[in-house]
Amino acid sequence: MDTSLVKAAEVLAGSRFTLALTGAGISVESGIPDFRSAGGLWARFNPAEYATIEAFRQDPHKVWRMLAEMDRLLVRSRPNPAHLGLAELERLGYLQFVITQNVDNLHQAGGSQRVIEFHGNAATLACLACHAVYSRAEVSNQAVPPKCVCGQVLKPEVIFFGEEIPPPVLAQAHDLVSLARVLLVIGTSAEVAPASMLPRLAKEHGATIVEINPEKTRLTDELTDILLQGRAGEIIPALVAELKRRTTDGWPPVTGCSRSAPRPG
Ligand code: NAD
Ligand code: ZN
C-alpha cells in the first residue's frame, strides 16, 4: 500500500471539514481536454484568444466556433470514477463541499450535492443585452450561434478570462476555504487566478493540502503536504477504498454522532 495514500486517508478520517478544489484535470478521463492536454481543442483554439470576454464582445461568432466544439464534448461526457468517488466521500461524510473551476456539470451528474461552481456552468446561456437566461436544451434547435429573442448572440454562463467571479460565489469560497482542515486539490495547474489563490488561503488558515495530479504543479513544492501523484480516476477510488477499509477494520471508533453533517470549526 502506497504510504502517501494511507497518510491522506488518515488526515481525511481525522478532519472535521474537508473541501475539494477541482480543475479541468478531473474531467480529462471523461474526454474533456484540459488546457495542458496535447492536441485536441485547445491546440486549435488558444484560450488566451478565444476564452476572453473582450473576444466575445468583439466577435461572438468567432468565439462560438470554439464554444460549439466545447459544447459537443460537454453534452456527451459522463462522470468518471473521480467524480463518482468524490460524491461517495460526501455521502460517507468525509467531504463537505466541492469547489470546482469546471463548467461541465460532471460533479452534480456524479452525485455530489454541495458544489460551488466558481466559473459557472455551460448548461445555461445568458443575453448580455437584456439579461434573459436560457437552458442549453431551449436553444439546442437553433443554428450556431444561438440568439436571444432580442436578437443578441447568447453567452454561456461561464466566467471568461477578464470577467469577475460573482462576489457571493467568491465570498462563499473564501469562507469555506478558511474553515477547511483538509483541502484536496485535484486536477488543477493553479495557474488561473483567483481560484489559484484558494490553496494558499486554506494553508494560511491551517489546512493540510492534499494534491492529486499526475504532474507536479506550482503548488507542489510550496504548499502541498501530501502529493498523490497519478490520475484522479485511479487515486480517488483508491482513497475511498482505503477509508472504507479503515472503517470496516474498526477505525475510527464508532461514536454516537453521524459523520454526514457538515461540522465546520
Ligand atoms: P489546467 O488545464 O490549467 O490544468 C489541468 C491540470 O490537471 C494539470 O495540472 C494536469 O497535470 C492535471 N491533470 C491532467 N489529467 C489529469 C488526471 N487524469 N487526473 C488529475 N489531474 C490531471 O486546468 P485548470 O487549472 O482547471 O485551469 C483551466 C481553466 O479552464 C479553469 O478555469 C477551468 O474551469 C477551465 N476549463 C474547464 C474545463 C471543464 O469544465 N471540464 C475544461 C478545460 C478548461
Ligand atoms: Zn436579449
Side-chain angles (χ1 to χ4, degrees), residues 135-143 146:
S135 70
R136 182 195 273 133
E138 272 178 284
V139 300
S140 61
N141 291 332
Q142 284 196 34

Side-chain angles (χ1 to χ4, degrees), residues 127 129-132 134 148-152 154:
C127 173
C130 76
H131 307 291
Y134 298 79
C148 181
V149 286
C150 79
Q152 184 83 15
L154 292 171

Side-chain angles (χ1 to χ4, degrees), residues 37-87:
S37 303
L41 186 70
W42 303 112
R44 279 176 295 117
F45 299 106
N46 179 357
E49 186 186 343
Y50 282 86
T52 71
I53 189 63
E54 294 82 1
F56 187 86
R57 287 188 192 281
Q58 273 170 22
D59 191 349
H61 288 80
K62 172 181 162 176
V63 171
W64 261 100
R65 288 205 290 278
M66 175 274 282
L67 291 174
E69 278 204 37
M70 181 80 175
D71 221 43
R72 275 198 290 278
L73 288 174
L74 295 184
V75 165
R76 64 167 189 249
S77 65
R78 296 290 172 265
N80 69 54
H83 300 103
L84 301 175
L86 288 187

